[in-house]
Amino acid sequence: MNADPAVQRRLLELADADAALNRIRHRRASLPEQGGLDRAEAAVRSRRDALVAVETALSDLDREIRRLERDVDAVRSREDRDRNLLTAGEVSAKQLTDVQHELATLQRRQGVLEDELLEVMERREATGAEAERSRGALAAADEELAAVRKVRDEALSDLDVDERRRTDDRTALLRELPTELVELYERIRARSGTGAAPLSARRCGACRLELDRTALGRIRVAAPDEVVRCEECATILVRTAESGL
């Protein structure tokens, strides 16, 4: 295949555009800002899970407090009823001992319940303070996430702008290059990742290998418009003043 040397040199511009687009895609896939966002999202999930756990514990403690309060109220009501019976003199001598014994039992039971209630209320107070700390931690994590997401979005926006510019440059180049030459370039690029590279200081700019004397001799005597390729990686070699021929 033949192509004007100036046209062949335009292939290097196309290769530069493709290399830049590859770098953009790689940066997009391994964006450091995305890693920061992933960590910030994980922190929010962790803080949210912690808050759910402590709020669940609060709910359980509130339910336990209500149960104990009902039990205390029931014991007090029973105690009031027995005292009213004694005060009214509505119990027989035989029942008196039983009622007095029940009152003593109810008083002990009330003491136990009130101690349990106090202990649960203290736990509830400590858990409530923990819940407030968890809400604060979640709010801080949400703020950090918003800030990190903004940084990530700005980085993506910059990449989008650069990608559009490089794509526009590539499209313009394709319109100016011969179809047959572009098709060869694309076939090679699909196989090896690089369609064209400069021959610089007797070295292929794609595989970075130095050409042997035989290959250099063939290129040296090739017509200026002949499209030559690297014998190692098959990339189109574009001859320049730095080729060392």
Side-chain angles (χ1 to χ4, degrees):
M1 179 185 298
N2 296 326
D4 186 274
V7 172
Q8 292 189 44
R9 286 192 290 273
R10 299 301 302 276
L11 282 180
L12 296 180
E13 298 178 38
L14 182 59
D16 285 343
D18 284 331
L21 287 169
N22 285 337
R23 289 193 295 271
I24 291 170
R25 284 189 286 270
H26 176 74
R27 175 163 168 73
R28 193 189 300 279
S30 58
L31 199 65
E33 292 83 354
Q34 182 62 50
L37 180 62
D38 292 341
R39 290 188 292 273
E41 289 176 338
V44 167
R45 288 194 298 271
S46 176
R47 300 293 189 275
R48 186 173 291 119
D49 290 345
L51 180 57
V52 169
V54 75
E55 287 182 337
T56 299
L58 271 180
S59 178
D60 292 342
L61 290 169
D62 286 339
R63 185 165 52 253
E64 181 68 7
I65 287 171
R66 290 192 297 271
R67 184 190 66 79
L68 288 169
E69 288 175 338
R70 287 194 301 269
D71 289 349
V72 169
D73 289 341
V75 169
R76 286 174 178 168
S77 297
R78 185 67 178 271
E79 184 181 1
D80 289 342
R81 188 199 67 178
D82 287 352
R83 289 192 185 281
N84 289 335
L85 288 174
L86 291 176
T87 301
E90 297 177 358
V91 295
S92 64
K94 182 181 180 181
Q95 292 174 320
L96 180 60
T97 300
D98 292 339
V99 172
Q100 288 175 336
H101 177 71
E102 185 175 89
L103 277 171
T105 301
L106 290 171
Q107 287 173 348
R108 288 193 299 273
R109 176 61 177 161
Q110 181 176 333
V112 170
L113 288 172
E114 287 176 343
D115 287 344
E116 289 182 7
L117 179 59
L118 179 61
E119 187 270 334
V120 173
M121 292 178 72
E122 289 174 348
R123 284 165 50 200
R124 203 276 179 204
E125 183 178 359
T127 304
E130 184 181 351
E132 286 303 312
R133 289 192 295 270
S134 292
R135 292 186 187 102
L138 176 58
D142 279 332
E143 290 180 3
E144 176 66 15
L145 174 59
V148 172
R149 179 176 285 118
K150 180 180 179 182
V151 171
R152 192 284 309 266
D153 289 346
E154 289 173 350
L156 285 178
S157 179
D158 290 342
L159 288 177
D160 289 341
V161 171
D162 196 15
E163 186 174 36
R164 284 194 296 271
R165 181 173 62 83
R166 294 290 187 175
T167 300
D168 290 343
D169 291 345
R170 187 181 197 279
T171 301
L173 281 168
L174 291 177
R175 286 196 294 262
E176 298 171 5
L177 293 170
T179 300
E180 187 179 4
L181 183 62
V182 170
E183 288 175 349
L184 174 62
Y185 169 90
E186 295 291 14
R187 285 197 301 273
I188 298 170
R189 189 169 74 95
R191 288 197 302 269
S192 63
T194 302
L199 174 60
S200 180
R202 304 179 181 182
R203 190 179 297 273
C204 171
C207 65
R208 312 305 299 172
L209 294 177
E210 185 172 352
L211 276 65
D212 61 31
R213 296 174 65 180
T214 301
L216 285 171
R218 282 196 294 268
I219 294 175
R220 190 177 291 116
V221 299
D225 65 347
E226 182 179 344
V227 176
V228 298
R229 297 168 64 178
C230 174
E231 292 185 351
E232 293 294 332
C233 65
T235 298
I236 296 172
L237 287 177
V238 179
R239 287 163 282 180
T240 68
E242 291 77 32
S243 292
L245 297 174

